[in-house]
Amino acid sequence: MYFIDVILPIPLKQTFTYSVNKDEAAFLKQGFRVAVPFGKSKVYTAIVYQIHDQAPQGYETKSIDHILDEEAVITQKQIKHWQWLASYYMCTLGEVVKAALPSAFLLESETKITLNLANKSVEELQQIESSLTDEQFLIFEALQTQPVLHINDLRSILNRSNVVKVMQQLLDKEIIAVEEELTEKYSPKLRRYVKLKEDYKSEASLKALLETLDRAPKQKAVLMTLFMLTGQNPKPVDTVSLQKKSETTASVIKALIKKEILEEYFIQKDRVEYDGTATEATKTLSDAQEIALNELQVSFKEHDIVLLHGVTSSGKTEVYVKLIEQTIKEGRQVLYMLPEIALTTQLISRLQHYFGEKVSVYHSKYTLNERVEVWNNVKESKPKAQIILGARSSVFLPFSNLGLIIVDEEHEPSFKQYSPAPRYHGRDSAIVLASMHKAKTILGSATPSLETFFNVKAKKYGIVTLSKRFNNVLMPEIELVDIKDKYRKKKMTGHFSDRLIEEMKTVLERGEQVILFQNRRGFSPVIECTTCGTSPQCPNCDVSLTFHQYKNELRCHYCGYHITMPKSCVACGSETLDDKGFGTEQIETEVNALFSGYTVARMDQDTTRGKHAYAKLIDRLENQEIDILIGTQMVAKGLDFRNVRLVGVLNADNLLNFPDFRAHERSFQLLQQVSGRAGRTEKRGKVLIQSYNPLHKILQQVSQHDYTSMYKEQTEERYQFKYPPYYRMIKITCRDKNFDKLDKAAAWYGAALRMQLKDNVLGPEPPPVSRIRNNYITNILVKIPKEQSLVKTKEMINLVQQSFNGIKAFASVRITIDVDNY
């Protein structure tokens, strides 16, 4: 008898053993996928972990249903990396597998199946029908009468339990689709163009047309502008520039299209597909970049990990490009990680300029098919998967010959996954992945995280500095505005000081752009009755409701609960409702009133809900269709805008006063990054930061671009109060709907940990928002000094967790463990 141990994509600690016959045992290797029965009716796709002949003790093994692969989908290095992730982040291997594999690889009984015949002709359909086996035809026929089926439905149709094989065959033939594909359609970026209809190309018909348009002067103006633009340049004319040049509205162009005078057409501007034009030679580096590149190569001889500490707009990307070029020449793969994929629009086109179709992109916004394709291309090390551009999930890909990992903007909190498990950090996981492949890692940032810089000081990492901006443009001038003083002198208009209004006017008159930063969305975070002091609260969470003006509703940002904005106070009935605090929406209203002739846009979670909404906003800013952009921290991420001359921060205090030990570090990073958006080309930019306390140390350090003294002060504080990088941290969160039960459970858990770890256990303590979606929340924080074994501490926490699981009274309390939760 032969047996295999498999990993199931479910949150259970152990592997499971199934029996296989001699031929199957000879064929299977680690990393193959097999369909296995689990429980009474479920079928899962499992990953083969090992093959052996030891029968398990105490239970009868089931046999596998089917082998799904001709060759292993997962490499041994991947499994090794995943095991490290599972043990370090204290989760199960099954959870890592579920997060790592594109769900097309994980067919299971919850999977919904639909027909995929959208673009097929009648002949093709007949061909497909004739090529199907009896069983395949039964499923095909059932899907024509019922659009969605589950695997259990297929079992009853075919009257047998093993249906995964038939499903896989239909998937390979592209006849069926797995449900998730329906939710994630990747649509290419289309730009809308217009041209004159063929009927009006002759002189006579054109003359007649213009005469008929004498009564529609706006439409006539659009046509005249179109002739002027096509006369100057034979390139296609897009509707946006036509609308702007003719100083008209979209409805006028629409009317001309409706009258069939103009014809609209779309040109696909794909985000990833490469059009195949000859690639450009990479740019020659400036002297400073050349020195940095040489220093990087020298540093790589001593260190596998090097920090590239370059100020904003110093041209770090061009240095990366040179290193990518060298790595590819050696025939090795490159992983380029970014904190948020929405920002890669600019980078994709830049990399494709240089490397053509060698660039692949991998992230969750792509359809399943595309992700599976990239996965397979990376595994086979195909020419089109030499450079992978991706978000944190790209560390899971099956690299066969990885030579370089670039983690850009390594300080970004977005690299950390908070939910669901594995709660991993993209940067740290990438460093471990690189060491497994004997590859080099570059961490790039203008404001490195404290722990990275700490490792540089401890000589664990190398460091290379780029202290000047590209073209020697000066760093932006940062001016701090004391709004307490301005309010006293009555020099504030709404939330704008006279200085900010003055600077904005100057910049806008010169035809340049402005970015305004306010790190809170909505209109105002609190609505309060001035008579009785009551403010509307969310019934499911412990937070007040935020007012959103564009929908005239109060909304909870935690659970999505919303109600129409009440006319009067719910407690005392008086109509004296006032808003406290302000968000991006309120700023937008004020800007529209103050600068009525300019185009204003807002970039926050409310305006970038659609997949391409982000890219559209960035494009509009690049094409200078937007004069003033108001945004939350989205505007701070490494974007490159040529024409932004002024950045205004409306209130820096709410960043600084956040209840988190990293608040000051994060504020410094965010304000430095925001100010880095100003003056990136020839002219020096300007940044105005409004604050009630402009003498705050962090604000002074930001205004002087002084990272070193910020690092010194923050590390001293961290040392005194026992926080990272001097101590490791594990956060244990308890949740339950019953407050008393949660209280007892958390107290028991804290006491059990304290027996061993003494004073290094803090809590249980509720977080600032202590109830979300009707679940009460309590946190316990375990601090681990450098000399204490991390492995032993985790083993101890696991033992406490096992004892806790055995207590019946606490059965409903949910525990999540987050290692390095910061």
Side-chain angles (χ1 to χ4, degrees), residues 388-412:
I388 303 297
L389 194 61
R392 57 174 185 248
S393 58
S394 52
V395 293
F396 295 126
L397 285 167
F399 295 100
S400 49
N401 190 9
L402 192 59
L404 175 69
I405 296 182
I406 298 165
V407 184
D408 202 9
E409 309 294 345
E410 63 83 25
H411 63 276
E412 273 292 333

Side-chain angles (χ1 to χ4, degrees), residues 90 141 176 260 453 469 602 663 789:
M90 296 181 75
E141 200 174 39
I176 61 168
E260 296 195 345
F453 211 71
R469 288 184 130 186
R602 196 172 89 234
S789 161

Side-chain angles (χ1 to χ4, degrees), residues 328-343:
I328 288 177
K329 274 184 189 156
E330 293 164 13
R332 303 188 74 184
Q333 293 167 308
V334 177
L335 170 61
Y336 193 139
M337 284 175 74
L338 288 137
E340 287 191 30
I341 210 64
L343 314 170

Side-chain angles (χ1 to χ4, degrees), residues 37 234 713 747 810:
E713 267 172 33
F810 302 151

Side-chain angles (χ1 to χ4, degrees), residues 647-661:
V647 170
V649 178
L650 286 146
N651 187 342
D653 304 325
N654 59 1
L655 291 172
L656 294 164
N657 303 329
F658 195 71
D660 176 22
F661 77 95

Side-chain angles (χ1 to χ4, degrees), residues 157 278 404 497 721:
I157 291 165
L404 175 69
S497 60
F721 295 104

Side-chain angles (χ1 to χ4, degrees), residues 793-813:
T793 310
K794 285 177 181 172
E795 280 171 7
M796 207 229 96
I797 293 173
N798 278 329
L799 284 171
V800 171
Q801 179 66 37
Q802 278 171 14
S803 312
F804 182 86
N805 291 342
I807 301 172
K808 218 168 185 179
F810 302 151
S812 66
V813 180

